Structure formats: C-alpha cells, structure tokens
Amino acid sequence: MKNIAVLLGDGVAGEILDSAIKVLNKTAQVYDLKFNYNYAPIGGRAYDELGVPLPEKTIETCLKSDAVLLGAVGDWKYDNLAPELRPERALLGIRKKLNLFANLRPVKVFDELLFSSPLKPEIAQDVDVMIVRELTGDVYFGEPKGIIKKTTLDGREIKVGFNNMIYDEDEIRRIAHIAFKSAQKRKNRVCCVDKANVLDVSRLFREITTEVSKEYENVELSFMYVDNCAMQLVLNPKQFDVILTGNIFGDILSDEASTICGSLGMLPSASLSDGKTPFMYEPIHGSAPDLAGKNVVNPIATILSAAMMLYYSFNEKSACDSIYRAVKDVLKEGYRTRDIFQKGNELCTTNKITDLIIEKIK
Ligand code: IPM
Ligand code: MG
C-alpha cells in the first residue's frame, strides 16, 4: 500500500487532482497496486480554512506519505495579502520543508500536438528536453532580502528592494549529479545554463558542474548563457537533451519551453529530494482561477505528473508508460480540451478526456 498525500490548492486544483486520481486508480487495478490518499489543504484554500497557506498538519501529512501530489495554488483574490500569507509562499515552503532540491520538467512534444505548437512543425517535432531546475536555492531563498529605506545623495528617502542570488558548492554538486544521472538514462548530454559572463554565482555553478562531470565520462557537458538559451529554445530546441540550471532561470525557461508542446496544460513535473523525504509531483501550470469549476481545464499535466510518481517514487515503469501511451492514444484519436483544440478535433471537457484516458489504460 502506498500512501499519497494529495495537496489541494486553488482554482482548478480540485478538478485536475480528481482526474489524476481516477487515472491512478485505474492504473492500480490494472497493475495490481494499492494507493491510499490523504488530503490536505495548501495555498489560498489553507489560508481560508486555517489562516495560513502551509499548515503544520499539511506538512505532517506529506512527511507521513510515500509521495505527494499537488494541485496548483494561487488566486487573484489573495493578491493583497502579506507576502508570508500568499499562496505561492506555501509552494516555496513545502519545497523547502521536503528538501525538494531537484525539479525535473520533461518537455516532450507529442506528434499529435505538433500543430498546436506556435513553432513550425519541423522545429517542434521530436523535441525531448529534460529541464533539471534547482529548486531550493537561488534568489528564491537567498538571504539577505527585503525592501528597506535608504537616503539618496540629495537627501531623499527612497525604498530599495533586493534578493540574493546565492548557491554554495554542495547545492550545485547535488543538482549536477541529478542532471548527469538523468542524462545517462537519455542521450548523454547536459547543457549547463547560466549567466557566467556576468554573475559570480554562475561562475561557481560552472566550476562545480565541470568537476562533477568528471564522474560521468560518457556524458557530454556544454555551457550556454541563459539569454542565448531562451533564444535557442525556439530556434532549435532539438539540440538539447538535459538542461541543468538554477531556480530562477529554470522557472523562466520551463514556461518558455512548455509552449513548444502546444500548451502549458501538457507539462508535468517531479521534485526530488535526497530520498529521506517523499518526492512531490505537480503540473507546471498555475491554478487558472478563471477556469475553475467549468470542467474545461486540461488535466493532462497532472495526469502525467501522477505517471512520473509511478516511475520516480514507486519504480513502476510499466504503469507509468501505460499512462503516457493512453494519453497519446486519446490525442491520436483527435480528442482535445480547449487549450489544444484545433479545427477537426473533438472538443472535450475535463471529465470526458479523463474518462477516455482511463479507458485506454491497460
Ligand atoms: C513554478 C511556479 C512557482 C515558481 C511559483 C508559483 C512560486 O512558477 O512552479 O514554476 O516560481 O517556482
Ligand atoms: Mg514557473
């Protein structure tokens, strides 16, 4: 029996989690697995219920579980809350509490969605990139940080905001190992993306990554500046196998890369720790409050996140593959939610596409 903590966030979270859980249950039947779900609130929902976005009980539920499935957080209605009460803070908090330093964001274009990509089909076809984003360091967590007052030379008092882009070598080393190991299961290439022409922290990132690469002789290491990478991702995304990068660059590049697949609604993610705490799985998209309750959101990113859980947390490769295959089959037959809808397709609700995917799991 595997215990899965289900962190229920905001907006469309309930709908996409329901879909993923239905798919997991079908997979459990077919592959003779047993899942038990422990629900806990997070984000705005937790704030409404308990006054804080990341309640202690939610953290405890995660720590007691074998894996964590999270449905997006955030809603405009919380925009005016103090920073520490905002839903996004819960996401950063849970990543830190569970020590989820490695965020894997696979960007794989389904042939069936080539025409939903804003890139020319010949550029988008066969793109298969794994973004390995460091997740518990960088400007996201660096100290000192804040907004303070300062006096200018001409005597005016003005505000100044700052965050610290900081990595120590242990943090770089452990994420680099994840990137190289991941490349060994793929095409044996790692591209380290940074801003080493300007930033000291990036120079250290390169130095340590180079050192770690010596342990992986069959993996080819290259370097690219992040501005160039942003361009290369749309010019020639096929050149990449594994992209290794820090927290903020990875955040930005993964949103950009996701559009290659046709929709943000297609991209799953896995966040890994050193193994002492459970891994967490979530779609890379947000909570889309404007779509909530309408039964229109694309559940595939969350369904594929559940598939990643089967692979990374439970070592159930066949079950994971069967979900990917089912999604592909459903797309092949022309069924689409509205974010990936093209003329000639059959438009589906969230529930409908979920049911179709479930039917195909075998
Ligand atoms: C992501 C999101 C989060 C991040 C936000 C919601 C805090 O954009 O997971 O990519 O910046 O990490
Ligand atoms: Mg992001």
Side-chain angles (χ1 to χ4, degrees):
M1 166 79 80
K2 300 292 185 196
N3 280 299
I4 301 174
V6 181
L7 303 190
L8 187 53
D10 307 309
V12 297
E15 296 162 68
I16 54 180
L17 285 171
D18 278 354
S19 293
I21 286 168
K22 281 192 218 154
V23 169
L24 277 174
N25 286 340
K26 174 68 188 282
T27 318
Q29 261 176 35
V30 175
Y31 288 86
D32 200 18
L33 309 168
K34 279 209 165 60
F35 300 127
N36 175 45
Y37 307 99
N38 305 308
Y39 282 81
I42 191 164
R45 179 185 306 270
Y47 172 78
D48 288 341
E49 285 173 21
L50 301 158
V52 284
L54 181 58
E56 269 314 308
K57 249 188 100 209
T58 295
I59 300 170
E60 274 164 35
T61 304
C62 294
L63 287 170
K64 283 196 313 233
S65 301
D66 300 299
V68 180
L69 185 64
L70 182 142
V73 300
D75 194 317
W76 300 297
K77 68 181 187 207
Y78 306 108
D79 276 358
N80 295 322
L81 286 180
E84 64 279 9
L85 294 177
R86 288 182 58 121
E88 294 78 9
R89 201 46 88 81
L91 201 48
L92 302 189
I94 195 71
R95 288 171 179 171
K96 199 71 173 177
K97 287 276 182 199
L98 299 181
N99 192 24
L100 302 169
F101 64 87
N103 185 218
L104 309 188
R105 298 188 159 184
V107 179
K108 199 169 156 58
V109 176
F110 285 92
D111 273 345
E112 293 73 17
L113 292 187
L114 270 185
F115 289 91
S116 300
S117 174
L119 300 187
K120 292 189 193 113
E122 63 270 26
I123 292 182
Q125 190 162 35
D126 299 327
V127 166
D128 182 2
V129 186
M130 177 67 89
I131 298 183
V132 176
R133 167 190 177 194
E134 199 289 331
L135 203 60
T136 51
D138 207 340
V139 283
Y140 274 69
F141 295 94
E143 300 279 349
K145 61 171 185 161
I147 300 176
I148 56 169
K149 295 218 168 94
K150 77 165 189 184
T151 309
T152 61
L153 288 176
D154 58 359
R156 285 176 304 122
E157 195 170 74
I158 60 169
K159 285 194 257 185
V160 44
F162 54 97
N163 289 87
N164 190 4
M165 185 177 261
I166 180 167
Y167 273 118
D168 67 38
E169 52 180 293
D170 290 350
E171 291 171 316
I172 302 169
R173 202 166 278 121
R174 63 183 184 176
I175 190 71
H177 278 293
I178 300 268
F180 286 109
K181 289 204 169 88
S182 160
Q184 283 182 324
K185 296 204 190 98
R186 300 168 47 91
K187 293 183 214 125
N188 291 301
R189 285 189 286 120
V190 170
C191 180
C192 173
V193 172
D194 58 39
K195 191 69 189 171
N197 49 346
V198 177
L199 303 172
D200 296 307
V201 56
S202 288
R203 282 199 289 126
L204 183 67
F205 211 101
R206 277 194 181 200
E207 182 189 317
I208 303 299
T209 300
T210 307
E211 196 186 294
V212 173
S213 74
K214 309 254 152 60
E215 294 174 47
Y216 301 86
E217 272 177 6
N218 60 339
V219 181
E220 179 194 310
L221 172 64
S222 61
F223 297 96
M224 193 179 278
Y225 297 137
V226 62
D227 46 351
N228 185 24
C229 181
M231 183 175 75
Q232 295 298 333
L233 272 172
V234 290
L235 271 183
N236 177 18
K238 274 194 271 272
Q239 70 185 285
F240 298 107
D241 180 22
V242 171
I243 289 179
L244 161 64
T245 191
N247 204 346
I248 186 90
F249 297 154
D251 178 44
I252 298 165
L253 293 175
S254 59
D255 263 35
E256 185 194 359
S258 74
T259 65
I260 303 172
C261 301
S263 167
L264 203 53
M266 293 298 298
L267 257 80
S269 82
S271 300
L272 315 183
S273 67
D274 56 8
K276 295 189 187 115
T277 41
F279 301 167
M280 187 167 89
Y281 302 84
E282 56 176 314
I284 86 155
H285 63 73
S287 52
D290 51 327
L291 303 183
K294 296 186 179 152
N295 196 18
V296 296
V297 69
N298 184 351
I300 293 178
T302 315
I303 290 173
L304 295 181
S305 300
M308 289 185 87
M309 172 188 292
L310 293 174
Y311 181 77
Y312 287 99
S313 284
F314 305 146
N315 208 10
E316 294 288 346
K317 184 158 187 323
S318 313
C320 165
D321 289 347
S322 80
I323 296 180
Y324 268 88
R325 243 191 341 263
V327 168
K328 200 172 160 62
D329 287 349
V330 165
L331 295 174
K332 199 181 280 161
E333 289 175 11
Y335 298 105
R336 302 280 192 279
T337 44
R338 70 178 197 191
D339 55 315
I340 46 177
F341 181 80
Q342 300 268 315
K343 222 171 119 212
N345 291 148
E346 183 160 343
L347 185 62
C348 291
T349 60
T350 309
N351 289 338
K352 170 105 191 267
I353 202 146
T354 304
D355 290 342
L356 290 164
I357 292 169
I358 289 169
E359 263 173 42
K360 300 269 183 207
I361 292 177
K362 28 182 141 2

